[in-house]
Amino acid sequence: MAARVIEKPMRKRSVADGAKQQTACRDCPRLANPSFRKFSPKELAFMQKLKTGEVVHKAGEGILLEGQKSEYVFTILEGWAIRYKLVSDGGRQILNVALPGDLIGLQSSVFGEMQHSVEAITDVRACLMRRDRLFELYSAHPGLAFDVTWLAAREEAIVSELMANVGQQPAFVRMAFIFAHIFHRAQVSRLTNGNALAFPLRQEDIADMLGLSMVHTNRTLRKLRATNCMTWNRGRVVVHDLEKLHALGMFTVPTDTARPFL
Amino acid sequence: MAARVIEKPMRKRSVADGAKQQTACRDCPRLANPSFRKFSPKELAFMQKLKTGEVVHKAGEGILLEGQKSEYVFTILEGWAIRYKLVSDGGRQILNVALPGDLIGLQSSVFGEMQHSVEAITDVRACLMRRDRLFELYSAHPGLAFDVTWLAAREEAIVSELMANVGQQPAFVRMAFIFAHIFHRAQVSRLTNGNALAFPLRQEDIADMLGLSMVHTNRTLRKLRATNCMTWNRGRVVVHDLEKLHALGMFTVPTDTARPFL
DNA sequence: CGTCTTTTTGACCATTTTCAATCAGTGTGG
DNA sequence: CCACACTGATTGAAAATGGTCAAAAAGACG
């Protein structure tokens, strides 16, 4: 099992530029991505009003901790994070990766406290909304409220998909699947450059996503490399045969509709 | 791996009484359970208006199928169901059990189609809401809209918890955990009778929840029985030492706040 | 009683883990 | 520039966990 992340908080894998500290919602680069649904002008103005500011978390920092009550809900603007749960005897299950456009910390607003932790994998720039103002959103903009539900339901769908992968597939398929899954999501979020992707996870992170030991993860990765459908070194994944990768991982491309973004 | 449930749809394990076919919301037995949050009179009237009717699914019937677009969202009033995903090579991962008070079919309303299937384990009596009227709920009652989000977020939290169990624990712990988890939820839903619980799942279902083979599930169950903390036969679970069961499964009782119910 | 489903068991095999090193890359200070 | 420390990746060997195949036993039901 993985070492507890809490104990080794500083990884140096900066990716975010950290340039502009405050972007107006209307200038949010996410809005240019057709994967996201468009705001009405009213909604845009409302969101601008609701946003408290931006924050940058350095790579390796914890953003939210299980059991914690956070005053804020975050929308990731830049960078990668992981959601994970620690189990009592030292294991860590990574539930999902969080990419730009993902909302984190909703559990804290809904239940009063987080039921999993979130950690920045690269530097993460995020947009803040106070949790106590979420109610305004529900009152004033049913459409945006529905978007929050959409995001929560999608999170559930992704975790379910990964759970079926972990529970029902042998190591090799699991691994191909997770690369296919992440690569696909990265494409939608426009993080890919052709068939290449800056990929900040370590093998240990993959192990903790798949419920495998580090050693077996490494060996399985070797087998996957041997199929020549992808390469991964020095923080960079290149997919040479996407179709093959999908087939190996039993991955089917989801039919994505325009997703919301808060 | 499990046989596909679709192929053997009829199980005879009726539990629901099937007596009254239409209950007024104000008389809904769920409202008497203090685990659920109270409706305001306005909300109650609104929900009554929104409800289209009730439906009973026989034990073994599919309620919703992955890929399907359902016109309805269901709230379970009575009975047990499972949410599951089939994987291409014949496996089935059960994501969660659905008990009275749980909302099913929300994915279909949010994404246009279900991303997992739902099947009745016992006879299931459910209350219906047309999906196209969900928008009215968001417009007219932000509080109820928030409840829908709550339910979606909770579903995610449960699947995450089970995923950490499947991904990080050996068979024995997984099994103790799943019994502890289900027993606890059943208690909250008032399905238990002291330390006893009518438990309609088969060993094969447990296997598919835990990501284990049938055979190994059976053997692990024997070990669990040997600890004398619980018994399970003829559809009835009796917990003799709850604390021990929790310890064996690394289960910690969640601090439940009053939950919503639609 | 006969049929069907579900549970249980045995024997054998495969996958995956653990333990223990080694190797490679990177940054640091002398 | 090189020695050193540190993190992450890789490998080998042994052990354990869990899976498959095949069959029998136990219940459930008409």
Side-chain angles (χ1 to χ4, degrees), chain B residues 179-245:
Chain B
F179 280 106
H181 170 83
I182 294 179
F183 191 82
H184 175 259
R185 284 183 54 200
Q187 273 187 316
V188 172
S189 290
R190 297 190 154 184
L191 298 175
T192 52
N193 184 354
N195 58 358
L197 168 65
F199 192 86
L201 301 181
R202 295 165 308 171
Q203 286 190 20
E204 189 174 350
D205 299 320
I206 298 294
D208 290 347
M209 288 196 88
L210 300 181
L212 296 172
S213 70
M214 256 295 295
V215 173
H216 197 59
T217 297
N218 182 274
R219 292 187 166 125
T220 305
L221 186 57
R222 178 163 51 175
K223 280 194 216 162
L224 182 58
R225 281 173 170 142
T227 66
N228 294 317
C229 67
M230 61 166 279
T231 54
W232 172 24
N233 43 44
R234 272 176 276 136
R236 182 183 166 86
V237 163
V238 180
V239 176
H240 300 107
D241 187 340
L242 188 60
E243 212 170 314
K244 191 170 174 187
L245 180 63

Side-chain angles (χ1 to χ4, degrees), chain B residues 88-157:
Chain B
S88 29
D89 43 350
R92 175 181 69 151
Q93 178 66 46
I94 295 183
L95 304 169
N96 194 359
V97 297
L99 300 179
D102 287 343
L103 188 69
I104 61 183
L106 182 62
Q107 282 188 342
S108 170
S109 299
V110 169
F111 305 126
E113 65 179 49
M114 291 299 292
Q115 311 215 348
H116 60 251
S117 304
V118 184
E119 178 184 319
I121 289 295
T122 65
D123 288 356
V124 167
R125 194 159 59 84
C127 197
L128 296 173
M129 195 193 326
R130 289 182 60 89
R131 57 172 247 128
D132 51 17
R133 301 191 62 186
L134 199 59
F135 180 69
E136 291 179 44
L137 183 149
Y138 272 76
S139 303
H141 287 275
L144 294 176
F146 193 80
D147 287 348
V148 176
T149 306
W150 194 102
L151 289 164
R154 174 159 172 284
E155 206 52 48
E156 191 264 342

Side-chain angles (χ1 to χ4, degrees), chain A residues 31-188:
Chain A
L31 294 177
N33 185 338
S35 301
F36 294 99
R37 89 160 176 85
K38 299 292 172 258
F39 279 141
S40 74
K42 268 190 178 173
E43 286 172 339
L44 191 61
F46 181 79
M47 286 311 297
Q48 176 73 70
K49 208 171 49 137
L50 218 55
K51 295 291 177 157
T52 314
E54 279 178 31
V55 68
V56 174
H57 288 272
K58 302 302 282 182
E61 272 182 20
I63 300 177
L64 293 163
L65 279 179
E66 183 166 353
Q68 191 185 39
K69 174 162 189 151
S70 166
E71 282 309 300
Y72 296 99
V73 179
F74 304 78
T75 292
I76 297 184
L77 297 175
E78 252 180 279
W80 292 44
I82 51 173
R83 306 171 192 264
Y84 66 94
K85 279 176 92 79
L86 296 178
V87 303
S88 30
D89 44 349
R92 175 181 68 152
Q93 179 66 47
I94 295 182
L95 304 169
N96 193 358
V97 297
L99 299 179
D102 286 343
L103 187 68
I104 62 183
L106 182 62
Q107 282 189 342
S108 170
S109 299
V110 169
F111 306 125
E113 65 179 48
M114 291 299 292
Q115 310 215 351
H116 61 248
S117 304
V118 183
E119 179 184 319
I121 289 296
T122 65
D123 289 355
V124 167
R125 193 159 59 86
C127 198
L128 296 172
M129 194 192 329
R130 288 183 60 89
R131 58 171 246 127
D132 51 17
R133 301 191 63 187
L134 199 58
F135 180 69
E136 290 179 45
L137 183 149
Y138 273 77
S139 302
H141 287 274
L144 295 175
F146 194 79
D147 286 348
V148 175
T149 305
W150 194 103
L151 289 164
R154 175 160 172 282
E155 206 52 47
E156 192 264 344
I158 292 179
V159 176
S160 295
E161 197 179 2
L162 299 183
M163 174 154 171
N165 185 42
V166 169
Q168 301 298 319
Q169 302 291 19
F172 182 81
V173 179
R174 279 190 227 183
M175 180 157 298
F177 183 94
I178 206 69
F179 280 106
H181 170 82
I182 294 179
F183 191 82
H184 176 259
R185 285 183 53 200
Q187 274 186 316
V188 172

Side-chain angles (χ1 to χ4, degrees), chain A residues 13 15 80 97 121-122 175 178-183 186 191 196-203 205-206 209 221 230-238:
Chain A
R13 278 177 294 169
V15 161
W80 292 44
V97 297
I121 289 296
T122 65
M175 180 157 298
I178 206 69
F179 280 106
H181 170 82
I182 294 179
F183 191 82
L191 297 174
L197 167 65
F199 191 87
L201 300 181
R202 296 165 308 171
Q203 286 190 18
D205 298 319
I206 299 294
M209 288 196 88
L221 186 57
M230 60 166 280
T231 55
W232 173 25
N233 44 42
R234 270 176 277 138
R236 183 182 166 86
V237 163
V238 180

